Amino acid sequence: MTDRPQHAGDLLRQWRQRRRLSQLDLAIAADVSSRHLSFVETGRSRPTSDMILRLAEHLDVPLRDRNTLLLAGGYAPAYPERGLAEPELQAVRAALQRVLKGHEPYPAVVVNRWWELVEANAGVALFTRHVKPELLDPPVNVLRLSLHPDGMAPRIANLPEWRAHLLDRLRRQAEAAGDTRLAELHDELAAYPGGQAQPPAATDVVVPLRYRDNSRDLNFLSITAVVGTPMEVTVSELAIEGFYPADAPTAAALG
């Protein structure tokens, strides 16, 4: 016996509950009646494509999932999805490559929604030159690369803290997106050895990455950047993860 297909109202209700909003909260934010919203969620009223997009905007639904909502409502997707190699995205790809190049000699990568490597600069060799080659077979997952026992993990001096930081971030992302693929990745990485993290010190500003590179102890902080105002699925899911020296010795060692 198969489950019945979910209609747009089912999915909108799931997103509302995921965002911990009541029907009244969402109705007020989207300027619709709570009664109409209730009818939409139960399937008694078929929402227009404009209504679906309006509710999705207030629920901060990712573009990929907005297309899923539209398809469930019987409408065509509103947001295109292209490969980075396609002509329409060449300007975006060129911009990303300039950012990565400008970040050298420090490591930086571009990743997609599932933390798969899209682009990297030359500085990333610092993190990859000691890992098992199998972990570098495409598609490379940068979180797996970080926490796998055959990856970067043996050289991360504060592995318990860094591991806890990455797992917490991934868990939050999986919950916010309702993404089973991210949830499965979290479960896989959580099963890797790494120890238990200690609570951060009161003087800590960020969780650093403390990395042993042969005889050098390097300390980094990471900053995430995304493309502003995306209207295309692939572009909306890209993020730049840049690593910066967290102290003067690291800056001097890599400068």
Side-chain angles (χ1 to χ4, degrees):
M1 180 177 177
T2 58
D3 295 334
R4 67 174 177 83
Q6 292 184 309
H7 58 72
D10 286 330
L11 298 177
L12 285 166
R13 183 184 66 254
Q14 292 170 20
W15 279 105
R16 177 179 60 77
Q17 293 172 342
R18 196 171 288 129
R19 298 296 183 251
R20 295 179 170 84
L21 292 174
S22 68
Q23 282 187 344
L24 181 59
D25 291 333
L26 179 56
I28 291 173
D31 194 25
V32 300
S33 75
S34 57
R35 184 170 183 268
H36 181 55
L37 178 58
S38 176
F39 281 13
V40 166
E41 289 190 353
T42 59
R44 293 178 64 186
S45 177
R46 179 173 182 255
T48 65
S49 59
D50 287 343
M51 175 62 72
I52 290 174
L53 291 175
R54 186 196 308 180
L55 294 172
E57 177 71 24
H58 287 282
L59 290 169
D60 195 25
V61 177
L63 300 193
R64 178 182 299 277
D65 300 288
R66 295 186 196 190
N67 280 345
T68 300
L69 284 168
L70 288 167
L71 286 169
Y75 304 104
Y79 303 96
E81 181 178 4
R82 305 179 179 93
L84 270 180
E86 295 185 32
E88 293 87 347
L89 298 189
Q90 283 306 293
V92 173
R93 185 174 187 180
L96 293 172
Q97 291 172 338
R98 284 195 293 271
V99 171
L100 294 180
K101 182 67 177 177
H103 194 71
E104 293 174 358
Y106 311 127
V109 297
V110 177
V111 295
N112 65 14
R113 169 172 171 157
W114 300 286
W115 292 90
E116 293 170 341
L117 184 66
V118 176
E119 298 272 1
N121 69 2
V124 169
L126 172 71
F127 294 151
T128 60
R129 60 190 174 209
H130 300 293
V131 307
K132 289 289 183 67
E134 309 89 81
L135 291 173
L136 299 177
D137 291 338
V140 177
N141 187 284
V142 300
L143 295 188
R144 184 179 294 116
L145 188 69
S146 297
L147 299 182
H148 196 285
D150 293 330
M152 293 170 55
R155 292 178 176 269
I156 299 177
N158 62 331
L159 180 59
E161 290 77 19
W162 187 250
R163 176 177 178 273
H165 159 67
L166 292 185
L167 288 176
D168 182 64
R169 183 175 175 184
L170 181 56
R171 177 186 59 79
R172 291 172 183 268
Q173 182 184 357
E175 290 177 354
D179 192 315
T180 56
R181 186 169 163 186
L182 287 173
E184 290 169 358
L185 177 63
H186 175 276
D187 291 345
E188 175 195 337
L189 302 186
Y192 294 164
Q196 297 298 313
Q198 298 298 317
T203 55
D204 288 345
V205 178
V206 297
V207 176
L209 171 63
R210 305 190 189 282
Y211 193 72
R212 302 187 189 99
D213 180 55
N214 297 329
S215 61
R216 302 184 299 181
D217 291 329
L218 305 174
N219 297 319
F220 297 94
L221 58 87
S222 64
I223 294 179
T224 304
V226 297
V227 178
T229 60
M231 295 298 291
E232 195 275 348
V233 172
T234 298
V235 174
S236 73
E237 296 177 345
L238 297 177
I240 301 172
E241 292 285 325
F243 291 85
Y244 294 80
D247 55 33
T250 300
L254 298 182

